[in-house]
Amino acid sequence: MKRYHLEVRVKPRPGLLDPQGKAVAHALSDLGYAGVADVRVGKILDVELDAPSETEARERGEEMCRKLLANPVTEDFEVTVAGILEDA
Amino acid sequence: MKRYHLEVRVKPRPGLLDPQGKAVAHALSDLGYAGVADVRVGKILDVELDAPSETEARERGEEMCRKLLANPVTEDFEVTVAGILEDA
Amino acid sequence: MKVAVITFPGSNCDYDGYQAFKLLDGFEPEFRWHRDAALGDVDAVFLPGGFSYGDYLRPGAIAHLSPVMEAVRDFAAGGGPVLGVCNGFQVLCESGLLPGALLRNPSLRFRSHDVHLRVETTRSPFTSAYEKGAVLRIPIAHGDGHYTASKEELAELEGEDRIAFRYCTTEGGLAPESNPNHSEHHIAGILNPARNILGMMPHPERAVEDILGSTDGLGLFESLRAHLSGTLATQTP
Amino acid sequence: MTDPTTAPTTGSTPAPATASAPVTATPAPRPGDPEITAELVADHGLSPSEYELVLGILGRTPTFTELGIFSAMWSEHCGYKNSKRLLRLLPTEAPWVIQGPGENAGVIDVGDGLAVAFKIESHNHPSAVEPYQGAATGVGGILRDIFTMGARPVAVLDSLRFGDLDSPRNRYLFAGVVRGVGDYGNCVGIPNIGGEVFFDRAYEGNPIVNAMAIGLMKREELITAEATGVGNPMMAVGARTGRDGIHGATFASEELSGDDDVSSRPRVQVGDPFTEKLLLEASLELIGSGHIVAIQDMGAAGLTSAASEMAGRGGSGVSLEMSRIPVRESGMTPYEILLSESQERMLVVAKRGREDEVRKILEKWELEAEPVGEVTDNGHFQIFENGVLVASIPALPLTDGCPTYEREGIEGDDVKVARARDLGHLLEPEGDLSEAFMSLLKSPNLASKRWIYEQYDTTVRTSTVVRPGGDAGVIRFRGSRRGLAATTDCNGRYCWLNPREGAKAAVAEAARNLVCSGALPTAVTNNLNFGNPLKPHIYHQLREAVLGMAEACALFETPVTGGNVSLFNETDGVAIYPTPVIGMVGVLDDVEAHAMTHGFKAEGDAILLLGENREEMGGSEYLYRKEGVVAGEAPIVDLLAERRLQHAVLGLIQKGVARSAHDCSEGGLATALAECAVGSEKPFGVQVRLEDNLAPVALFFGETQGRVLLSVAPEDVDRALDMARDHGVPAVSIGAVGAPGSSFSIRSPRGHLELDIGRVAEQYHATLPALMTRSNGGEPA
Ligand SMILES: Nc1ncnc2c1ncn2[C@@H]1O[C@H](COP(=O)(O)OP(=O)(O)O)[C@@H](O)[C@H]1O
Ligand SMILES: [Mg+2]
């Protein structure tokens, strides 16, 4: 068993309303940033997970996304193993 | 000018309570995921930005974080250039 | 008529729902805890508003995995009426018992005030006591009430007469100002295909006594009572 | 509330929690503790004479841990060094007061076997640093003060002050605070029923965030926080302890540097309203279970103040074992654990042998309960770390021995100058004042506060009878005919110009707001927000304000049952206005029949004005908007006239004569009339004719106190006027409610204003949203 650091990125589906992103883009241009073409806001979860292998860790992470971490109706997700923390 | 895709990660400072992460970790272990040691929840922003160079794009992204995207009191941030989209 | 009022950790309208059922003769509300794997012998289920699990991750996301939701799913599959209000609606969408999702209000702010609702269908255990087209005044209180669904699902909802309530003006018209969270098709409440599950964002249980400013929510409870007792509901405006 | 059935898992029986030591035992300095130097003592905010007292109490040099404990307990926040002597001047007793100052919250008898706990608390500094979390945790803390008394929180109010909204920073603070207040209360499920907000450059850099909470209980459910019963275990309940908000001086950095980088260590406390909701349910269940003796929030100065205050009140001792405290981070020292201000934590004194029962209740609510110490008979506050004594302090001197000071108070020269300023020219314009009024309505201090309270759940718990937007919020008590009205009030400008009159005005306005809502003013909680009391002109403000409050509260028979003091609200040496916020509650005997709102009810109703008009422009919003200054004499408060007025208004409401009632305050008569007109779904027209031969600016916009607007059915006018005059209150019929959508017209011998009511309503509602859609330069997602 090792402890893996999973980075889980959950982002709003393209095409879906993202008022938060819009508000941030608006605020940025108010602040004088001219070149901001688009902003989308999602969630990032750092999950520390004990698993026998990297593949297993990632697969469990993806399963967690399907079950809980992402809403299949409105969100896409992506799981990467960002690091191995220690032997658990 | 090119259009860059910045990925901005904004995460709760270590040591700071992350009630959301706590609740998610709790829920995951309730779901039967035994190996979840910790969860922290942050934001990820996809910013499309027109800039003359990659370095410039990243630097502007970091400045935006200091000014707006991250709360300096409670959050840390990281900006990466995730891709070049097109000539703007 | 026994009604199971479900309490998730963080529910805060469970007691209000309980009291609303108590107001009407015939109902016997009982609390059920989220860890209860069985509902017992009940005739209807009420999923209350509030912030189950603090609304962390997404409203309703963690609650929909509670043991009690398995029991609710079975109960609904057997045709039992299930009413989800506010967070209850969010739980129903998260669990797939109703289509679509409830996203952050585009204003990015919590909205708490009275809204007007137009009764769109009387063909359900929850709306039979109303007249079609009636305009109700009922409070909302939510941060995530923007209803969205795929084009196909929206078409289905429209085509199958499954939109129970729409946000409207005082006179019953559909105007952008009267849609507090810019919900698609002004949707405030929807039914499942079998019409025994209703999810809605506004709080009918907060509009059941004059002293609260409105009694327009009573019709829901009266409809349900009529449905359960097999009698025809008398129409209230 | 709920009675969910569940099968909680049984916790293991705990090992004895603590060692105990004789009071003569000397605590050992911990390895790595800094040496106690004069500098370190000063860094801990203790003066040389205070340190002498510490040495006297201990009979030796304190350990580093002990120094931290004294520093926290003798801070202004916990020790009330500079305010205690003044606070003794406040009236605190009445037959209906069950619990006066000194406990987590005051408690009053409201009849029908019911009692109400209520208190106000400030979170000014945390909100200046991090508005969202600062405000949220402020609400969290005050809710815990309520439910630790055994009462279920049933309402919150918030009293806010910011700098002017044309600065992005102020918009950021304001938006963040409102979101924080809202998110926390909404999530826990407590309706917000009122509050106030005021914008003035005096609050630049020092916003004021005061939160008030109200709880309801059966009289016999009251529990106080006294640690009694030698051998009873003390249990830490709720969230784990982290390094949040540690009372901090820089010296500690070396010692505190454990595994993480000190500079990045957050001092901000993060609120978790979800845990709070669970803690609320668990605490009420615990109190009802009979398994516990006492319970207290770990608020300011955390575990230290909770444990030592409970010991002090109970006249006992306590011993705590640091290794038993559930922590969130590794390597925490006793110093850090004792001073952490992590949120959503409670300290419980359980009955001996009931630990498992306590744990079961907590587990049902998915919370932890850990025995961390016990009540002892040696009168000492003793701290152990793995069985080694690291602190041992006599509890009573620690909690009650903090020296208190009476300081020199002298009125500031700038105030004298401002007050003496001649405002005669302000009264000059006569004739058409319509546009003057329209521009006055652009002030966020006068315009609708809907932008704020629509972010607050106001109807959860299905007991709100009058929501925010009028004079006071009103809730009913289920199963009783009775109800409660509540309000917060204070005009800092009046208080700056004349702290004594200003404080009286705050009390009088609060009482007037309650009366206008149909309630009898009953009791007061207060929040003294001031600058640095070591400066004579600030101490002067503090003393004068307390004296004014005392006089008014005594006269209105509204005793002060508690409150909070927030001093040192200064930026670059400039203090905020003295802001003694009054939180007042009042009882309605028959809430269904008497609850009253400010909006006009029907076209054709007569409009009556009770009270007297005067030419007073000092400290007015009109002056501030027009000339950007605060000057002149603060409006005079005639307390006896106020009392007569309030009796008359309450009588008219209770007899069913008044159909609406509204207090006249900031923005004067014109603003108050506009509020009545737009206070219902469709704005009514207004046709008013005043006979006073005063300068119209003063008559329309002056802020003379002691005035109330009523509307009555046309056939009741004579009866209403007679009733008012019977009370010795000047009363006149000044006009009539017009048709919805018609004109808003006020005439006097020397001036007039006439506007389309639609235009008035639009401006009234648009002001705050328009200001807030501008970029705030920093509130993302
Ligand atoms: N911060 C706030 N929170 C909740 N309600 C508020 C707040 N500020 C103002 N309100 C509500 O808006 C209404 C008008 O406020 P205010 O102008 O201060 O009234 P008044 O002068 O009569 O006290 C009141 O009902 C008050 O409770
Ligand atoms: Mg006021």
Side-chain angles (χ1 to χ4, degrees), chain B residues 22-54:
Chain B
K22 213 174 74 179
V24 172
H26 195 86
L28 287 173
S29 59
D30 260 13
L31 271 181
Y33 293 99
V36 178
D38 190 39
V39 178
R40 313 262 308 161
V41 183
K43 279 186 304 233
I44 187 160
L45 293 95
D46 290 297
V47 179
E48 291 183 19
L49 181 70
D50 297 337
S53 73
E54 187 169 326

Side-chain angles (χ1 to χ4, degrees), chain C residues 7 9 11-12 14 16 33-36 51 53-54 56 109-112 114 116 141 205-206 209 212, chain D residues 1-2 4-5 186-187 189 272 274 277 364-366 451 454-457 459-462 467 476:
Chain C
T7 303
S11 294
N12 63 32
D14 46 349
D16 299 349
W33 186 230
H34 72 123
R35 294 210 182 272
D36 294 349
F51 289 71
Y53 294 94
Y56 294 136
R109 288 197 300 274
F110 192 89
R111 298 290 300 258
S112 158
D114 284 349
H116 290 95
E205 81 282 8
R206 298 188 189 180
E209 291 175 78
L212 304 177
Chain D
M1 55 151 227
T2 55
T5 47
N186 296 347
C187 184
D272 180 3
F274 169 57
K277 167 72 172 159
K364 172 170 126 192
W365 293 103
E366 321 214 328
W451 187 89
E454 280 190 356
Q455 298 186 52
Y456 302 158
D457 195 337
T459 49
V460 63
R461 293 191 49 75
T462 51
R467 305 178 197 179
R476 64 158 165 190

Side-chain angles (χ1 to χ4, degrees), chain B residues 7-80:
Chain B
E7 220 173 40
V8 177
R9 292 170 168 76
V10 180
K11 299 182 175 178
R13 283 259 170 100
L16 207 72
L17 180 68
D18 175 22
Q20 180 156 231
K22 213 174 74 179
V24 172
H26 195 86
L28 287 173
S29 59
D30 260 13
L31 271 181
Y33 293 99
V36 178
D38 190 39
V39 178
R40 313 262 308 161
V41 183
K43 279 186 304 233
I44 187 160
L45 293 95
D46 290 297
V47 179
E48 291 183 19
L49 181 70
D50 297 337
S53 73
E54 187 169 326
T55 320
E56 185 93 345
R58 195 188 12 259
E59 279 171 5
R60 281 198 206 163
E62 285 167 356
E63 202 189 301
M64 291 175 192
C65 284
R66 279 188 295 271
K67 281 210 182 152
L68 177 76
L69 305 180
N71 181 336
V73 186
T74 57
E75 293 170 328
D76 292 328
F77 62 83
E78 205 182 71
V79 178
T80 51

Side-chain angles (χ1 to χ4, degrees), chain D residues 446-718:
Chain D
L446 304 185
S448 167
K449 311 299 187 296
R450 200 154 78 178
W451 187 89
I452 303 173
Y453 57 75
E454 280 190 356
Q455 298 186 52
Y456 302 158
D457 195 337
T458 56
T459 49
V460 63
R461 293 191 49 75
T462 51
S463 289
T464 307
V465 180
V466 179
R467 305 178 197 179
D471 290 293
V474 178
I475 50 169
R476 64 158 165 190
F477 304 148
R478 261 184 202 287
S480 156
R481 296 176 73 81
R482 289 167 188 264
L484 193 84
T487 181
T488 66
D489 289 282
C490 179
N491 183 309
R493 288 179 188 153
Y494 307 166
C495 293
W496 183 69
L497 292 169
N498 187 334
R500 192 181 298 215
E501 289 300 306
K504 283 199 242 169
V507 177
E509 180 176 353
R512 221 184 304 130
N513 282 339
L514 296 182
V515 161
C516 286
S517 305
L520 179 69
T522 310
V524 163
T525 181
N526 75 96
N527 210 325
L528 298 173
N529 305 278
F530 285 76
N532 178 355
L534 307 181
K535 298 180 180 170
H537 72 281
I538 302 287
Y539 194 77
H540 169 83
Q541 295 171 344
L542 187 59
R543 187 181 57 211
E544 286 291 303
V546 169
L547 286 171
M549 192 193 302
E551 186 185 339
C553 287
L555 196 95
F556 291 130
E557 293 177 85
T558 49
V560 177
T561 64
N564 177 251
V565 177
S566 169
L567 303 179
F568 304 98
N569 291 286
E570 299 201 358
T571 302
D572 300 329
V574 181
I576 58 166
Y577 291 143
T579 311
V581 172
I582 301 297
M584 195 184 284
V585 295
V587 175
L588 295 94
D589 291 334
D590 185 342
V591 68
E592 188 137 21
H594 299 158
M596 182 53 58
T597 53
H598 72 293
F600 288 144
K601 301 298 180 305
E603 181 183 347
D605 278 357
I607 303 172
L608 311 187
L609 174 66
L610 276 60
E612 221 173 326
N613 300 318
R614 282 199 291 263
E615 256 178 28
E616 291 178 308
M617 293 309 291
S620 65
E621 184 66 22
Y622 181 84
L623 173 61
Y624 185 79
R625 296 288 296 180
K626 195 142 197 259
E627 303 189 355
V629 297
V630 173
E633 293 285 352
I636 301 297
V637 185
D638 179 344
L639 291 175
L640 290 171
E642 268 291 350
R643 195 170 61 173
R644 288 194 297 272
L645 170 81
Q646 294 181 14
H647 284 168
V649 171
L650 193 56
L652 281 159
I653 291 173
Q654 290 178 339
K655 292 242 154 58
V657 179
R659 301 177 77 161
S660 73
H662 189 37
D663 151 47
C664 238
S665 60
E666 289 87 3
L669 202 49
T671 306
L673 280 165
E675 286 167 348
C676 296
V678 305
S680 38
E681 208 159 331
K682 285 235 167 57
F684 284 104
V686 165
Q687 304 297 323
V688 159
R689 160 121 221 144
L690 299 157
E691 302 302 338
D692 311 62
N693 194 32
L694 303 178
V697 166
L699 186 56
F700 297 170
F701 312 134
E703 298 176 5
T704 293
Q705 301 292 293
R707 295 179 297 170
V708 166
L709 285 167
L710 299 179
S711 66
V712 303
E715 62 273 20
D716 286 334
V717 173
D718 291 338

Side-chain angles (χ1 to χ4, degrees), chain D residues 306-354:
Chain D
S308 62
E309 284 178 14
M310 284 167 103
R313 287 194 202 106
S316 56
V318 298
S319 74
L320 299 171
E321 169 55 55
M322 293 297 101
S323 64
R324 305 287 311 237
I325 310 282
V327 288
R328 206 172 72 221
E329 298 174 70
S330 58
M332 288 185 70
T333 64
Y335 183 101
E336 292 174 305
I337 292 172
L338 284 164
L339 298 184
S340 159
E341 295 189 352
S342 290
Q343 298 289 299
E344 290 93 19
R345 299 178 303 155
M346 299 281 204
L347 190 62
V348 166
V349 181
K351 291 185 179 157
R352 185 147 51 154
R354 308 272 186 94

